[in-house]
């Protein structure tokens, strides 16, 4: 990808008050989401001494205008993140991706293995989406906007019942312009190229909510069992947005995974 087509991503870099000497955790959000939903998990990781870097995927930062040549895909999103990481001069990092962010994390780890100390997939594994969900979203691409009924159905599937305050906060991802929501949603539905998972050699963890309505535990387990170096951690009383619903359990699982699999920082 030409350098001019790679947007300069916004990355919120947060350092812990007391460092535990950990590599940074790069928290990559999903489709129609904002980095705000990482906040509960980020606070737990920071309290444990881990640096947290939270990027906005291309076009998702408020007021961002993408280069005219930019075309949204998993490859282009991963290339944008790689450029942002290389600009920091600090690598590798722990990649943590939720939903669409998991597909971006896998693509980044496959295309730039030097940047990935570990990979964690949150609420996702590469698997065909639910057909009714796919049909619903494809109808939105055709009409050129996300209607209120679809937005409500997505929020219910992702988060269950929310307070008015949390619903307002978490639904802001749908405020992203449709010229970003549409193509990034299509990338989410298409998923990673079948060759990508086999090219990821970093240790891999799947954080799975036992009540996830988007990806089943059977799908999660089948992906983990398909290759060595993969493990799954089932999180009770959590659905698709396991990091939002059970941040303490997720933070503990991540810290344990990093201690046993990640390299020490230079």
């Amino acid at each position: 990808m030409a350098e001019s087509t790679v947007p300069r991503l916004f990355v919120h870099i947060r350092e812990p008050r007391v460092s535990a000497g950990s590599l940074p955790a790069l928290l990559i959000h999903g489709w129609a989401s904002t980095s705000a939903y990482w906040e509960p998990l980020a606070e737990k990781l920071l309290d444990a001494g881990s640096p947290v870097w939270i990027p906005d995927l291309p076009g998702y930062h408020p007021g961002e205008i993408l280069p005219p040549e930019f075309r949204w895909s998993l490859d282009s999103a991963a290339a944008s993140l790689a450029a942002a990481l290389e600009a920091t001069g600090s690598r590798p990092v722990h990649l943590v991706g939720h939903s669409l962010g998991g597909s971006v994390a896998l693509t980044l780890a496959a295309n730039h293995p030097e940047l990935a100390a570990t990979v964690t997939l949150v609420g996702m594994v590469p698997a065909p989406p639910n057909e009714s969900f796919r049909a619903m979203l494809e109808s939105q691409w055709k009409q050129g906007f996300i209607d209120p009924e679809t937005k409500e159905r997505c929020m219910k599937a992702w988060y269950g019942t929310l307070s008015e305050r949390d619903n307002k906060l978490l639904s802001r991802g749908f405020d992203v312009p449709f010229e970003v929501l549409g193509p990034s949603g299509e990338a989410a539905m298409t998923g990673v190229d079948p060759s990508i998972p086999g090219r990821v050699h970093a240790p891999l963890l799947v954080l799975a909510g036992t009540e996830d309505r988007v990806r089943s535990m059977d799908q999660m387990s089948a992906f983990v069992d398909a290759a060595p170096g993969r493990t799954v951690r089932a999180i009770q009383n959590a659905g698709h947005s396991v990091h939002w619903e059970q941040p303490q359990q997720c933070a503990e699982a991540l810290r344990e995974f990093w201690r046993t699999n990640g390299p020490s920082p230079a």
Side-chain angles (χ1 to χ4, degrees):
M1 177 177 294
E3 183 178 349
S4 62
T5 68
V6 177
R8 185 184 299 273
L9 297 187
F10 175 85
V11 182
H12 188 192
I13 295 179
R14 299 171 65 179
E15 296 293 335
R17 288 180 291 275
V18 179
S19 175
S22 304
L23 294 173
L26 188 78
L27 308 182
I28 310 170
H29 67 79
W31 177 69
S33 302
T34 71
S35 55
Y37 77 170
W38 287 118
E39 188 61 26
L41 176 60
E43 287 294 333
K44 301 298 183 184
L45 293 175
L46 288 165
D47 287 346
S50 295
V52 174
W53 297 1
I54 309 179
D56 288 333
L57 288 174
Y60 276 79
H61 189 66
E64 178 184 5
I65 299 176
L66 292 174
E69 304 88 354
F70 183 82
R71 296 295 178 267
W72 226 106
S73 69
L74 296 180
D75 281 326
S76 64
S80 299
L81 277 175
L85 288 174
E86 289 166 351
T88 70
S90 176
R91 55 187 185 179
V93 298
H94 296 299
L95 303 178
V96 181
H98 173 246
S99 203
L100 165 64
S103 293
V104 175
L106 283 172
T107 305
L108 176 58
N111 293 344
H112 299 274
E114 74 282 0
L115 298 178
T118 64
V119 178
T120 298
L121 306 179
V122 183
M124 71 82 64
V125 292
N130 177 282
E131 282 304 316
S132 65
F133 199 73
R134 176 193 287 275
M136 175 188 71
L137 290 184
E138 287 179 344
S139 71
Q140 306 299 290
W141 315 153
K142 292 177 182 178
Q143 71 183 15
F145 63 94
I146 307 295
D147 58 47
E149 294 78 12
T150 298
K151 175 181 173 180
E152 182 178 356
R153 182 176 172 185
C154 287
M155 292 294 292
K156 186 70 174 179
W158 297 342
Y159 299 106
T161 302
L162 290 169
S163 68
E164 183 177 350
R165 173 184 175 276
D166 286 345
N167 186 72
K168 183 177 180 180
L169 173 69
L170 297 172
S171 65
R172 287 176 182 168
F174 285 98
D175 295 337
V176 172
F178 186 79
E179 54 265 30
V180 174
L181 277 184
S184 61
E186 290 183 31
M189 287 293 101
T190 301
V192 298
D193 184 273
S195 69
I196 289 291
R199 292 168 47 208
V200 175
H201 301 297
L204 189 148
L205 170 68
V206 176
L207 289 179
T210 57
E211 300 171 18
D212 196 332
R213 297 169 58 187
V214 178
R215 286 285 184 267
S216 69
M217 285 299 302
D218 287 345
Q219 288 176 310
M220 309 273 196
S221 297
F223 174 76
V224 166
D225 292 341
R230 302 175 184 173
T231 187
V232 61
R233 175 73 177 270
I235 305 295
Q236 301 295 322
N237 302 314
H240 185 59
S241 300
V242 55
H243 58 294
W244 171 266
E245 298 173 72
Q246 297 293 345
Q248 183 63 45
Q249 291 187 51
C250 288
E252 291 172 357
L254 285 168
R255 294 283 297 170
E256 178 184 357
F257 175 61
W258 296 338
R259 280 195 299 270
T260 55
N261 292 280
S264 300

